[in-house]
Amino acid sequence: MEEFPKTKIPKSPPKPAPVSSIDFWVVLDLMANRWKWFALGSLLCGLLAGWAATKVVVPKYTANAQLLRYATPGVSDFFKQDGPMSPETFAGLIRAPDLLRLVGEKAAPPIAPETLAKQIKVDPDAESELVKVALVARTPQQAVELLNIYLTNAVQYLRNMQAQEVRLAADAYLGKQVGQMDQDIVDLDKEFRALAAPPQITNKVAQIGGQLHDLSRALAAPPRTSPVVAMETERLNLALGELSGLLSQYTELHPKVQQKQAEIKALKAQIATDSTNIMPASAEAATATTTAMQPAAPALNPEVDIIRAKLLSLEEGRVQLVNRQREAELYVANPPGEARVFAPATLQTVQTGHRRMKIAAGALVGSLLGLGASLLLVLFTEFVDGRLKTVEDVKRVTKLPVLTTLGDIRNMAPEAQSQWAFRTWTLLQGLLSPTAHHGLVCGFTSSSKGEGRSTWIRLLAEAASLTGFRVLTVATRAPGEKASPGHACDLLPEGLEVKEQGAGLVAREADALSSPSQITTQLTDPAARPVVHIPLPGWVWNRERRQQWHEALEHWRKIENIVILVELPPADMPEAVLLAASLPNLVWLAESSTAEAASTRDQLETLRHARCNIVGAVLNRVMAQTIKKRFPRWITCLALLAALGRPDAQAQPSNSPPVVFPQTNFSFSVVHPSQRAAWQEHLTLGPGDVLNFGLYGQPELALQEVAVGPDGRVSFLEAQDILATGQTIDELRSRMDEELAKYHRAPHTLITPIAFRSKKYYMLGKVMVKGAYILDRPLTVLEAIARAKGFENGLVDRSVVDLADFSRSFIARNGKRMPLNFEKLFQSGDLSQNLPIEPGDYIYIAGANAPEVYVVGEIRLPGPVAYTPSQTIITAITSRGGFTQRAFHSRVLVVRGSLNQPETFAVNTEAIVGGKTNDFRLQPRDIVYVSPRPFVRVEELADLATTAFIQGLITAWVDTKVVKPFVSE
C-alpha cells in the first residue's frame, strides 16, 4: 500500500521561558530541594571569607594608661593662663603632630606620625582631671613600651610648650619694657644734669618742694560744700541709678525714660547754680600757701624736683621688670608642667582585639553572602530555565487541569507503586467513565521520548486488571525497537504472537487491525492483556490503515468492561497527531525538569487544532512534597494566630455574606485632629474675642479680659490700635512685640485667649430656638440642631409630629448650597451627612405644610388622613372606617406624584391582611382609591332577583298551604 512520505510539522519559533511567580514558599522549596548547592556555596564563601579575614584582621593588643591634669603651682599671675584648659583642648595638645613625630622616631621600629595617630586614642573625663590614653599594637610588649614612651614624651612636651610660651612672653614684653625704661632714664639723667644748681639752691628747692607737697594735699582735700548742694547731689545720684534701671528695660523713646532724663538735667542745672556761690577750702589753702611762698619765690626751680621724681619712679619700675625677667628664666629652666603620669601602662592592662571572633564573624558573613549568592544563582537559573518542573508550571503552560502526579518510581516500593496505580486508576475512571462499571479508552502522549509513558500505562493496566476490567494496550514502536524491561509490551501473552510483515503488524499471521476479532478472542480470557503494536513511521501515513485503526477501536470499545490504553508516540512526531485524532480521551504526560515549555505549548496547540480531546495533564517524577504541604496543620495554626493577633480582625460568620457598612465617619462630633477644617487649623481673631495680655518678666503690666473692638483692633500698653481681625494669636503676638520694641528692651508679649465670640453660625426655620450662635468649639450639624433645642412640632390629627420638611431644608456656606441630605441624616441615621459647621454657615430648616393622604372610593368615611412617616395603606384605610361592602379588596389603587405625570400602584390588601406580603408604605399627598368590585352591579341584580323569587315562592306556598285550607274550613 502506498505510504505518505516522512514529513515534519514545522514548529513555531521558540518562545521565552515561562516566568513563574516566586514567593516565600517557592524559595523554601528551592532551598529544600537544592540544599546541597546552598551548603556548598555557603561553605566555599565562608572559607574564602575566613581566609581573607586572617589576612585583613591583624593581631591587635590595646594598652591603657592614665594622665593626671593639674594647675601650675607657685606661679605669679603674670605667667598664668587666662582660664582653665578644657578637656578637649588638652586632648588635642597631646595629639599634636610634633609630639607624634617625636614619639614615632623613638619607637623601635620607627612609626610614621599618621600611623601612630590612628593607634592612639585619648579619652578625657569631663567630670574629673583624669585622662585615659589607649594605644593599639601588634604585640602586648610593643603596646606597653610604646604607650609609656608616649606618656613620658607627652608630659615633657607640655613642659617644653609651657617654657616656650613663658620665654616668648619674657622676650616680647619684659625685654622691650626694660629697654624702653633704660632709654627713658638716660634721657632724664641728661636733662637733670643740664638743670643742676648750687647746694643752697638745692636746699631751697627742697623746702619749696615740701611746701608744694602740702599745697597738693590741700588741693586734694574734699571741698566744703553746703547742705543744699549735698542734698541735690544725692538726689542726682539716685536719679542716675533709676535712669540706668529704666534703660535696661525700655528704650529712650519710652515716656518714663524721657521723664527721668528731664529730671536729671534739671538737677544738674540746679547743682551748677548753687555751687558758684561757695568758695572751696582748697582755694583758701592755696592762697595761704602762696602768701607764705612769696618771699622765697625768686629761688624756686620745680623742674629739677620733677625730673628727680620721674627718675625714681623709673628706677623702681625697672627693678620690678628685672625681677620678672629673673623669674621667667627660672620658669623656663624648670617648667612645672600641666600633667603627670598617674597610671603607667603594664601588661596587666593590655586587652586583646578579639581576632578570632572577628575572623569567625567574617567567615559567618561570608557564609551568609554565599548562601544569598547561591539563592540568587538558583533563582536566576529557575528564571531562565524553560523546563516544566512543578504542577503550577504545567497548569500555566498547558492550560489544562493536572489530574495527578507521580514521584520518582525508582524510590518507591512495589506496594507503594500498586497503591499509587490504584488511586490514579480510580481517579481517571471517575473522570472519564460514566459509571464505575464502564471501561474507557484513553491515550497518553508527551513532548519527547523518555518521559515515562510506558511506565504509566503499565501501572494503570495492572490496576485496571486487578479491578476486574479487560485491558488492551496499544503501543507504538519504531521498526526493530524492542520493549525495555518492565514495559507493558512484556505482558504480551504467548498465544498472541506479533511479527512485522511489510508495513503492518500481524497476530498469528494475520493483521490485528484488519481482523480485530482476534484481539477480541484474546480479551475473553480475564487474565489476558494483549498488546497491539503499531510500527512507525510509515504505517500511520496510509489513510486505509488509519481507517482500520479507527474501526478497530470502535470494535473493541463494544466489548464489555474493556479498558484500552494507547501509548502514543511523542508529540514532536506527526504520527501522534494522526493517531490521537481517533481517540475519545487524550492525556498529556510531562516529566519534571525534562519537558520544554515552548515545545509543549506548540505541540498542544497542534493537537487542539487537530480536534483532539485533551482531558488533562499528568506530571511524572515530580519534586518532593512542598514544605507548605508537609506542615499544613502548623501553617494553618500560624495563619489563624496571625489573623487573631491583628487588632482590626473581626469575626464573620462563615455561612453568611459579609456585612457592608456605608461609608460614614461614625462620629456625632469632631473629635479627632485629622477631622479639623481649614479654619480651625488657621484660627484667626475677630471682633468680640476676649484676650489676656501680659509682658514676660513684668507681671504687674498684665491686662485681663481685653475684648477685640468692633473695628477689629486691640490696645496694650504703648501698642495702641493694633489690628487683630484676620490674624492668629502668633501673628498678633509678633505684631505686639514689634510695636512694643520701640519702648521696651526685647519685649515678649504673652497673649492668652479667654473666649472666641467672633465666629458665628445662623439657625432659622423650624427649630425651637432661632438666631445667631457663637461657634466657640467644633460643631457638627447634629450638635447645632441639638443646641437649637431640636425641631418644632405640632398636633396633627391627635398626633405630635415634627413640622420640618427635610427635603427642602439646606445649609449654605460662602453663598453656595452644600450637598447635605437632611433626610438621610435624620431619618436614616447616615452620619456621613453630618458635616462640620464652619463660621458664617446658614442652616435653614424648611417647614412642612401638614402633609396628608387622601382616601376615597368605597370607604365608609372618605377624606384626608394626616400623614405620619410610618403610615401604610392599611392604617390609612382603617383610620377612615375601613372598606364598604362594595369595595374591591384585591386591587386598591394608589396614585402618587403630580397630576401631569402620576405614578400608580395596584395593592392587594387581602394579601397584606393574610400575611402573604408586606404592607405598602405611603408618602405625603398620596391618593388611595378603593374601587367597587367589577361585577358588583350584577351581584346586586342577582341578589334582588333572588330575593324577589324567594318572596314570591313563599307567598305562593303560604297562599296554597295556609290561606286556602283556612278559608275552606
Side-chain angles (χ1 to χ4, degrees), residues 438-485:
H438 284 74
L440 58 87
V441 178
C442 184
F444 289 82
T445 186
S446 60
S447 178
S448 59
K449 296 181 180 180
E451 296 192 32
R453 303 187 310 278
S454 302
T455 302
W456 278 67
I457 288 179
R458 174 175 63 83
L459 295 175
L460 292 177
E462 292 178 356
S465 178
L466 290 175
T467 55
F469 287 91
R470 296 183 176 91
V471 181
L472 171 62
T473 303
V474 180
T476 58
R477 187 161 289 109
E481 184 179 357
K482 296 182 180 180
S484 60

Tab-separated table of all heavy atoms in Angstrom, residues 438-485:
chain	number	residue	atom	x	y	z
A	438	HIS	N	-18.144	0.987	33.818
A	438	HIS	CA	-17.825	1.165	32.408
A	438	HIS	C	-16.323	1.293	32.222
A	438	HIS	O	-15.618	1.846	33.078
A	438	HIS	CB	-18.512	2.418	31.846
A	438	HIS	CG	-19.975	2.227	31.597
A	438	HIS	ND1	-20.904	2.171	32.612
A	438	HIS	CD2	-20.673	2.071	30.431
A	438	HIS	CE1	-22.114	2.004	32.112
A	438	HIS	NE2	-22.007	1.935	30.785
A	439	GLY	N	-15.862	0.807	31.115
A	439	GLY	CA	-14.464	0.953	30.770
A	439	GLY	C	-14.199	2.319	30.158
A	439	GLY	O	-15.036	3.223	30.175
A	440	LEU	N	-13.017	2.441	29.574
A	440	LEU	CA	-12.673	3.723	28.961
A	440	LEU	C	-11.596	3.489	27.919
A	440	LEU	O	-10.925	2.440	27.895
A	440	LEU	CB	-12.201	4.726	30.017
A	440	LEU	CG	-10.998	4.358	30.881
A	440	LEU	CD1	-9.685	4.734	30.231
A	440	LEU	CD2	-11.100	5.042	32.242
A	441	VAL	N	-11.434	4.474	27.050
A	441	VAL	CA	-10.392	4.481	26.025
A	441	VAL	C	-9.618	5.771	26.227
A	441	VAL	O	-10.194	6.865	26.197
A	441	VAL	CB	-10.981	4.416	24.610
A	441	VAL	CG1	-9.866	4.464	23.578
A	441	VAL	CG2	-11.829	3.155	24.447
A	442	CYS	N	-8.330	5.648	26.434
A	442	CYS	CA	-7.516	6.820	26.745
A	442	CYS	C	-6.137	6.646	26.153
A	442	CYS	O	-5.563	5.548	26.202
A	442	CYS	CB	-7.426	7.019	28.258
A	442	CYS	SG	-6.532	8.510	28.729
A	443	GLY	N	-5.627	7.727	25.593
A	443	GLY	CA	-4.287	7.736	25.048
A	443	GLY	C	-3.369	8.635	25.852
A	443	GLY	O	-3.808	9.608	26.461
A	444	PHE	N	-2.083	8.302	25.837
A	444	PHE	CA	-1.076	9.064	26.553
A	444	PHE	C	-0.001	9.499	25.572
A	444	PHE	O	0.501	8.690	24.789
A	444	PHE	CB	-0.440	8.232	27.671
A	444	PHE	CG	-1.353	7.971	28.829
A	444	PHE	CD1	-2.296	6.943	28.788
A	444	PHE	CD2	-1.288	8.746	29.966
A	444	PHE	CE1	-3.132	6.698	29.849
A	444	PHE	CE2	-2.135	8.509	31.027
A	444	PHE	CZ	-3.061	7.479	30.982
A	445	THR	N	0.348	10.778	25.630
A	445	THR	CA	1.425	11.299	24.811
A	445	THR	C	2.216	12.304	25.636
A	445	THR	O	1.767	12.751	26.692
A	445	THR	CB	0.904	11.958	23.533
A	445	THR	OG1	2.011	12.316	22.701
A	445	THR	CG2	0.097	13.207	23.834
A	446	SER	N	3.389	12.629	25.130
A	446	SER	CA	4.268	13.563	25.836
A	446	SER	C	5.006	14.411	24.818
A	446	SER	O	4.831	14.249	23.598
A	446	SER	CB	5.252	12.809	26.735
A	446	SER	OG	6.070	11.938	25.957
A	447	SER	N	5.832	15.307	25.306
A	447	SER	CA	6.537	16.219	24.414
A	447	SER	C	7.700	15.548	23.712
A	447	SER	O	7.989	15.857	22.554
A	447	SER	CB	7.041	17.432	25.206
A	447	SER	OG	7.766	18.305	24.379
A	448	SER	N	8.371	14.614	24.375
A	448	SER	CA	9.539	13.962	23.794
A	448	SER	C	9.640	12.558	24.346
A	448	SER	O	8.813	12.135	25.168
A	448	SER	CB	10.808	14.772	24.094
A	448	SER	OG	10.983	14.895	25.496
A	449	LYS	N	10.639	11.848	23.905
A	449	LYS	CA	10.837	10.466	24.350
A	449	LYS	C	11.363	10.450	25.783
A	449	LYS	O	11.949	11.403	26.264
A	449	LYS	CB	11.828	9.755	23.434
A	449	LYS	CG	11.354	9.596	21.999
A	449	LYS	CD	12.401	8.862	21.175
A	449	LYS	CE	11.943	8.679	19.723
A	449	LYS	NZ	12.956	7.973	18.909
A	450	GLY	N	11.130	9.284	26.422
A	450	GLY	CA	11.702	9.055	27.725
A	450	GLY	C	11.049	9.797	28.858
A	450	GLY	O	11.692	10.010	29.896
A	451	GLU	N	9.796	10.181	28.723
A	451	GLU	CA	9.114	10.889	29.800
A	451	GLU	C	8.211	9.984	30.630
A	451	GLU	O	7.500	10.477	31.495
A	451	GLU	CB	8.313	12.059	29.235
A	451	GLU	CG	9.162	13.127	28.590
A	451	GLU	CD	8.383	14.388	28.298
A	451	GLU	OE1	7.451	14.691	29.057
A	451	GLU	OE2	8.703	15.075	27.309
A	452	GLY	N	8.202	8.645	30.361
A	452	GLY	CA	7.509	7.717	31.243
A	452	GLY	C	6.144	7.282	30.780
A	452	GLY	O	5.328	6.868	31.608
A	453	ARG	N	5.865	7.355	29.479
A	453	ARG	CA	4.541	6.913	29.021
A	453	ARG	C	4.344	5.423	29.251
A	453	ARG	O	3.283	4.983	29.717
A	453	ARG	CB	4.372	7.229	27.527
A	453	ARG	CG	4.550	8.687	27.188
A	453	ARG	CD	4.202	8.977	25.727
A	453	ARG	NE	4.861	8.088	24.803
A	453	ARG	CZ	6.115	8.235	24.372
A	453	ARG	NH1	6.841	9.251	24.812
A	453	ARG	NH2	6.655	7.377	23.530
A	454	SER	N	5.367	4.601	28.924
A	454	SER	CA	5.257	3.144	29.105
A	454	SER	C	5.046	2.782	30.569
A	454	SER	O	4.260	1.884	30.898
A	454	SER	CB	6.514	2.453	28.570
A	454	SER	OG	6.707	2.760	27.203
A	455	THR	N	5.735	3.476	31.463
A	455	THR	CA	5.602	3.171	32.891
A	455	THR	C	4.181	3.467	33.367
A	455	THR	O	3.575	2.673	34.095
A	455	THR	CB	6.608	4.000	33.680
A	455	THR	OG1	7.921	3.713	33.219
A	455	THR	CG2	6.516	3.704	35.167
A	456	TRP	N	3.635	4.614	32.975
A	456	TRP	CA	2.274	4.943	33.381
A	456	TRP	C	1.271	3.930	32.856
A	456	TRP	O	0.369	3.492	33.589
A	456	TRP	CB	1.917	6.354	32.882
A	456	TRP	CG	2.426	7.436	33.779
A	456	TRP	CD1	3.709	7.775	34.009
A	456	TRP	CD2	1.626	8.311	34.588
A	456	TRP	NE1	3.798	8.800	34.880
A	456	TRP	CE2	2.522	9.172	35.265
A	456	TRP	CE3	0.266	8.472	34.796
A	456	TRP	CZ2	2.094	10.167	36.143
A	456	TRP	CZ3	-0.164	9.472	35.662
A	456	TRP	CH2	0.736	10.306	36.335
A	457	ILE	N	1.416	3.537	31.581
A	457	ILE	CA	0.453	2.593	31.006
A	457	ILE	C	0.585	1.234	31.671
A	457	ILE	O	-0.418	0.554	31.946
A	457	ILE	CB	0.678	2.515	29.485
A	457	ILE	CG1	0.193	3.827	28.843
A	457	ILE	CG2	-0.053	1.325	28.888
A	457	ILE	CD1	0.380	3.867	27.351
A	458	ARG	N	1.819	0.841	31.981
A	458	ARG	CA	1.988	-0.456	32.648
A	458	ARG	C	1.312	-0.472	34.012
A	458	ARG	O	0.579	-1.406	34.349
A	458	ARG	CB	3.476	-0.762	32.790
A	458	ARG	CG	3.768	-2.031	33.596
A	458	ARG	CD	5.238	-2.334	33.595
A	458	ARG	NE	6.018	-1.290	34.237
A	458	ARG	CZ	6.210	-1.201	35.552
A	458	ARG	NH1	5.637	-2.092	36.357
A	458	ARG	NH2	6.927	-0.232	36.067
A	459	LEU	N	1.546	0.586	34.826
A	459	LEU	CA	0.963	0.615	36.159
A	459	LEU	C	-0.558	0.736	36.101
A	459	LEU	O	-1.276	0.076	36.865
A	459	LEU	CB	1.551	1.792	36.942
A	459	LEU	CG	3.052	1.708	37.251
A	459	LEU	CD1	3.525	2.978	37.922
A	459	LEU	CD2	3.352	0.503	38.137
A	460	LEU	N	-1.092	1.539	35.175
A	460	LEU	CA	-2.544	1.675	35.069
A	460	LEU	C	-3.185	0.395	34.554
A	460	LEU	O	-4.303	0.032	34.967
A	460	LEU	CB	-2.885	2.847	34.157
A	460	LEU	CG	-2.522	4.244	34.698
A	460	LEU	CD1	-2.840	5.300	33.652
A	460	LEU	CD2	-3.283	4.530	35.987
A	461	ALA	N	-2.482	-0.303	33.638
A	461	ALA	CA	-3.029	-1.575	33.139
A	461	ALA	C	-3.119	-2.603	34.252
A	461	ALA	O	-4.108	-3.344	34.360
A	461	ALA	CB	-2.156	-2.104	31.993
A	462	GLU	N	-2.099	-2.666	35.104
A	462	GLU	CA	-2.144	-3.605	36.224
A	462	GLU	C	-3.289	-3.252	37.182
A	462	GLU	O	-4.015	-4.135	37.652
A	462	GLU	CB	-0.807	-3.585	36.959
A	462	GLU	CG	0.348	-4.149	36.149
A	462	GLU	CD	1.652	-4.050	36.901
A	462	GLU	OE1	1.634	-3.465	38.011
A	462	GLU	OE2	2.684	-4.516	36.397
A	463	ALA	N	-3.446	-1.959	37.472
A	463	ALA	CA	-4.520	-1.568	38.388
A	463	ALA	C	-5.884	-1.855	37.792
A	463	ALA	O	-6.795	-2.339	38.487
A	463	ALA	CB	-4.375	-0.079	38.718
A	464	ALA	N	-6.090	-1.585	36.486
A	464	ALA	CA	-7.378	-1.860	35.860
A	464	ALA	C	-7.663	-3.350	35.821
A	464	ALA	O	-8.804	-3.788	36.009
A	464	ALA	CB	-7.406	-1.271	34.456
A	465	SER	N	-6.618	-4.154	35.576
A	465	SER	CA	-6.809	-5.610	35.550
A	465	SER	C	-7.191	-6.137	36.922
A	465	SER	O	-8.037	-7.026	37.058
A	465	SER	CB	-5.535	-6.279	35.042
A	465	SER	OG	-5.679	-7.679	35.043
A	466	LEU	N	-6.572	-5.568	37.978
A	466	LEU	CA	-6.896	-6.031	39.320
A	466	LEU	C	-8.327	-5.687	39.711
A	466	LEU	O	-8.928	-6.376	40.539
A	466	LEU	CB	-5.922	-5.411	40.325
A	466	LEU	CG	-4.475	-5.922	40.252
A	466	LEU	CD1	-3.597	-5.140	41.216
A	466	LEU	CD2	-4.408	-7.409	40.558
A	467	THR	N	-8.877	-4.617	39.157
A	467	THR	CA	-10.259	-4.232	39.474
A	467	THR	C	-11.281	-4.968	38.622
A	467	THR	O	-12.480	-4.675	38.727
A	467	THR	CB	-10.430	-2.729	39.269
A	467	THR	OG1	-10.022	-2.383	37.942
A	467	THR	CG2	-9.594	-1.950	40.276
A	468	GLY	N	-10.862	-5.927	37.760
A	468	GLY	CA	-11.789	-6.767	37.018
A	468	GLY	C	-12.073	-6.316	35.601
A	468	GLY	O	-12.972	-6.872	34.956
A	469	PHE	N	-11.361	-5.356	35.069
A	469	PHE	CA	-11.572	-4.901	33.698
A	469	PHE	C	-10.683	-5.678	32.740
A	469	PHE	O	-9.611	-6.175	33.114
A	469	PHE	CB	-11.270	-3.401	33.582
A	469	PHE	CG	-12.312	-2.518	34.207
A	469	PHE	CD1	-12.195	-2.116	35.533
A	469	PHE	CD2	-13.411	-2.094	33.472
A	469	PHE	CE1	-13.153	-1.315	36.112
A	469	PHE	CE2	-14.370	-1.275	34.059
A	469	PHE	CZ	-14.247	-0.894	35.377
A	470	ARG	N	-11.160	-5.794	31.482
A	470	ARG	CA	-10.337	-6.350	30.417
A	470	ARG	C	-9.473	-5.212	29.850
A	470	ARG	O	-9.990	-4.172	29.490
A	470	ARG	CB	-11.208	-6.954	29.303
A	470	ARG	CG	-12.050	-8.140	29.754
A	470	ARG	CD	-12.806	-8.713	28.588
A	470	ARG	NE	-13.539	-9.909	28.959
A	470	ARG	CZ	-14.773	-9.943	29.390
A	470	ARG	NH1	-15.447	-8.811	29.495
A	470	ARG	NH2	-15.352	-11.085	29.711
A	471	VAL	N	-8.208	-5.437	29.764
A	471	VAL	CA	-7.259	-4.382	29.421
A	471	VAL	C	-6.618	-4.715	28.089
A	471	VAL	O	-6.113	-5.841	27.883
A	471	VAL	CB	-6.186	-4.221	30.500
A	471	VAL	CG1	-5.223	-3.094	30.120
A	471	VAL	CG2	-6.820	-3.941	31.856
A	472	LEU	N	-6.651	-3.743	27.180
A	472	LEU	CA	-5.974	-3.849	25.896
A	472	LEU	C	-5.015	-2.672	25.783
A	472	LEU	O	-5.432	-1.516	25.928
A	472	LEU	CB	-6.983	-3.812	24.738
A	472	LEU	CG	-6.363	-3.708	23.323
A	472	LEU	CD1	-5.486	-4.923	23.032
A	472	LEU	CD2	-7.455	-3.569	22.267
A	473	THR	N	-3.757	-2.978	25.537
A	473	THR	CA	-2.734	-1.945	25.425
A	473	THR	C	-2.281	-1.853	23.987
A	473	THR	O	-1.951	-2.864	23.371
A	473	THR	CB	-1.538	-2.264	26.325
A	473	THR	OG1	-1.990	-2.414	27.674
A	473	THR	CG2	-0.504	-1.145	26.255
A	474	VAL	N	-2.298	-0.629	23.488
A	474	VAL	CA	-1.837	-0.365	22.124
A	474	VAL	C	-0.581	0.470	22.236
A	474	VAL	O	-0.600	1.553	22.828
A	474	VAL	CB	-2.910	0.376	21.304
A	474	VAL	CG1	-2.402	0.634	19.898
A	474	VAL	CG2	-4.194	-0.446	21.267
A	475	ALA	N	0.528	-0.034	21.687
A	475	ALA	CA	1.818	0.641	21.782
A	475	ALA	C	2.337	0.940	20.397
A	475	ALA	O	2.058	0.215	19.440
A	475	ALA	CB	2.813	-0.208	22.570
A	476	THR	N	3.076	2.019	20.292
A	476	THR	CA	3.721	2.386	19.028
A	476	THR	C	5.211	2.264	19.207
A	476	THR	O	5.777	2.623	20.242
A	476	THR	CB	3.366	3.825	18.640
A	476	THR	OG1	3.769	4.698	19.698
A	476	THR	CG2	1.874	3.986	18.421
A	477	ARG	N	5.858	1.710	18.189
A	477	ARG	CA	7.292	1.499	18.294
A	477	ARG	C	7.887	1.517	16.906
A	477	ARG	O	7.285	1.050	15.947
A	477	ARG	CB	7.572	0.178	19.008
A	477	ARG	CG	9.049	-0.047	19.304
A	477	ARG	CD	9.224	-1.094	20.378
A	477	ARG	NE	8.787	-0.553	21.673
A	477	ARG	CZ	7.692	-0.932	22.293
A	477	ARG	NH1	6.936	-1.870	21.757
A	477	ARG	NH2	7.350	-0.397	23.440
A	478	ALA	N	9.073	2.060	16.807
A	478	ALA	CA	9.776	2.105	15.528
A	478	ALA	C	10.213	0.704	15.127
A	478	ALA	O	10.347	-0.198	15.958
A	478	ALA	CB	10.981	3.029	15.630
A	479	PRO	N	10.438	0.459	13.820
A	479	PRO	CA	10.843	-0.887	13.360
A	479	PRO	C	12.147	-1.311	14.025
A	479	PRO	O	13.105	-0.554	14.125
A	479	PRO	CB	11.015	-0.694	11.848
A	479	PRO	CG	10.191	0.503	11.517
A	479	PRO	CD	10.241	1.382	12.684
A	480	GLY	N	12.159	-2.568	14.501
A	480	GLY	CA	13.351	-3.112	15.132
A	480	GLY	C	13.497	-2.761	16.588
A	480	GLY	O	14.378	-3.295	17.267
A	481	GLU	N	12.675	-1.865	17.125
A	481	GLU	CA	12.782	-1.466	18.530
A	481	GLU	C	12.116	-2.502	19.404
A	481	GLU	O	11.033	-2.988	19.094
A	481	GLU	CB	12.113	-0.105	18.720
A	481	GLU	CG	12.263	0.416	20.142
A	481	GLU	CD	11.614	1.767	20.304
A	481	GLU	OE1	11.115	2.297	19.278
A	481	GLU	OE2	11.590	2.287	21.419
A	482	LYS	N	12.753	-2.852	20.501
A	482	LYS	CA	12.231	-3.847	21.425
A	482	LYS	C	11.802	-3.163	22.714
A	482	LYS	O	12.269	-2.096	23.048
A	482	LYS	CB	13.301	-4.903	21.740
A	482	LYS	CG	13.717	-5.718	20.530
A	482	LYS	CD	14.720	-6.765	20.915
A	482	LYS	CE	15.141	-7.597	19.703
A	482	LYS	NZ	16.124	-8.635	20.075
A	483	ALA	N	10.909	-3.861	23.367
A	483	ALA	CA	10.407	-3.314	24.633
A	483	ALA	C	11.482	-3.394	25.685
A	483	ALA	O	12.222	-4.362	25.780
A	483	ALA	CB	9.167	-4.087	25.083
A	484	SER	N	11.559	-2.354	26.450
A	484	SER	CA	12.510	-2.334	27.558
A	484	SER	C	11.972	-3.166	28.693
A	484	SER	O	10.788	-3.459	28.775
A	484	SER	CB	12.730	-0.888	28.017
A	484	SER	OG	11.510	-0.338	28.427
A	485	PRO	N	12.852	-3.608	29.603
A	485	PRO	CA	12.380	-4.411	30.742
A	485	PRO	C	11.345	-3.659	31.551
A	485	PRO	O	11.497	-2.485	31.855
A	485	PRO	CB	13.665	-4.636	31.553
A	485	PRO	CG	14.771	-4.473	30.588
A	485	PRO	CD	14.319	-3.467	29.600
